[in-house]
Amino acid sequence: DSGVTQTPKHLITATGQRVTLRCSPRSGDLSVYWYQQSLDQGLQFLIQYYNGEERAKGNILERFSAQQFPDLHSELNLSSLELGDSALYFCASSVETESTEAFFGQGTRLTVV
Amino acid sequence: LAKTTQPISMDSYEGQEVNITCSHNNIATNDYITWYQQFPSQGPRFIIQGYKTKVTNEVASLFIPADRKSSTLSLPRVSLSDTAVYYCLVGFSRDNYGQNFVFGPGTRLSVLP
């Protein structure tokens, strides 16, 4: 158990809909990272937050957004969903501002039908 | 363009040493190199991280040559339970906006009895 909790574990929704994925980081970790994993694109960095503020952006679509709340949990919002958004979405957390040593959650598997 | 490459797959036998190499040509002076292990339906798990020369922990070693354009993960005496996908990750520095965390495509290691 990495200490990072993601909910829900599975999500099935229709095209055009909007969903919210939730992540609770390890106790004491201030940084949260979101990644998308799909068969054709592999693991792609989406966005990072540190102590409530956006720190870095990767390949995040404009239809996607995220935030980190004062209690440090984070949410990833995906809107106007398309079939191609079906993927595993991982959240990771670390103590440091920028770190490649992070702890990953079990992921949320999103299926868009 | 920040990019990491690695072999798609490797086979080994139990008890052998396995070396997996990752290329990261555009790495900057202060960028760290990290390796992760991933089992099916789980999030990536941190193995080892390094900056230069050699790093060793209880499960692996990481070798980084002087030019830092590649790195090699070494797994001593693999067992069947080491069958997994192994990813390298580099946090590429950017001038204006945090790091870009780029995973390699992953190397699927199959350990045979």
Side-chain angles (χ1 to χ4, degrees), chain A residues 1 11-12 21 24 27 42 44 49 78 81 93 95 106 110:
Chain A
D1 183 7
L11 199 49
I12 302 175
L21 312 184
S24 294
S27 176
Q44 297 274 317
Y49 279 81
L78 315 176
L81 285 167
S93 72
V95 172
Q106 297 279 42
L110 173 67

Side-chain angles (χ1 to χ4, degrees), chain A residues 14 82 89:
Chain A
E82 302 174 359
Y89 292 84

Side-chain angles (χ1 to χ4, degrees), chain B:
Chain B
L1 177 66
K3 187 177 179 181
T4 54
T5 59
Q6 44 181 133
I8 295 302
S9 65
M10 292 181 73
D11 290 339
S12 180
Y13 288 98
E14 277 191 295
Q16 288 188 330
E17 177 184 78
V18 170
N19 296 310
I20 306 173
T21 297
C22 177
S23 297
H24 26 76
N25 290 331
N26 295 325
I27 195 168
T29 306
N30 297 322
D31 296 342
Y32 273 80
I33 301 149
T34 308
W35 285 81
Y36 285 82
Q37 177 192 56
Q38 187 179 28
F39 297 109
S41 301
Q42 294 188 21
R45 185 172 70 97
F46 172 85
I47 302 174
I48 196 166
Q49 176 178 269
Y51 175 69
K52 61 181 179 180
T53 61
K54 177 184 175 182
V55 179
T56 297
N57 62 21
E58 61 276 8
V59 298
S61 294
L62 179 59
F63 298 93
I64 305 168
D67 66 6
R68 302 194 342 112
K69 293 185 177 182
S70 67
S71 58
T72 299
L73 171 71
S74 181
L75 303 173
R77 296 180 300 281
V78 294
S79 64
L80 296 176
S81 61
D82 293 319
T83 294
V85 181
Y86 292 83
Y87 293 92
C88 64
L89 168 66
V90 176
F92 289 95
S93 304
R94 296 183 289 193
D95 287 337
N96 298 323
Y97 190 41
Q99 288 185 305
N100 186 19
F101 299 96
V102 179
F103 274 94
T107 298
R108 185 174 299 277
L109 173 65
S110 297
V111 180
L112 308 172

Side-chain angles (χ1 to χ4, degrees), chain A:
Chain A
D1 183 7
S2 66
V4 178
T5 304
Q6 290 187 246
T7 57
K9 286 189 169 45
H10 303 275
L11 199 49
I12 302 175
T13 190
T15 54
Q17 295 299 305
R18 182 178 188 274
V19 297
T20 298
L21 312 184
R22 182 186 169 100
C23 169
S24 294
R26 282 191 326 160
S27 176
D29 285 357
L30 299 179
S31 275
V32 170
Y33 312 77
W34 286 97
Y35 290 89
Q36 179 194 59
Q37 186 173 36
S38 61
L39 281 175
D40 55 344
Q41 298 284 345
L43 274 160
Q44 297 274 317
F45 169 59
L46 296 179
I47 197 165
Q48 179 205 358
Y49 279 81
Y50 177 78
N51 203 20
E53 295 195 3
E54 185 178 296
R55 179 72 185 178
K57 262 186 180 178
N59 300 322
I60 189 166
L61 300 172
E62 287 192 9
R63 301 183 284 108
F64 297 180
S65 65
Q67 54 185 328
Q68 185 179 29
F69 295 87
D71 66 353
L72 300 178
H73 91 271
S74 179
E75 292 180 357
L76 179 66
N77 301 298
L78 315 176
S79 60
S80 302
L81 285 167
E82 302 174 359
L83 296 178
D85 297 326
S86 297
L88 259 174
Y89 292 84
F90 287 107
C91 166
S93 72
S94 69
V95 172
E96 295 173 10
T97 311
E98 291 174 335
S99 177
T100 53
E101 180 179 356
F103 294 83
F104 281 73
Q106 297 279 42
T108 293
R109 182 172 295 280
L110 173 67
T111 303
V112 182
V113 298

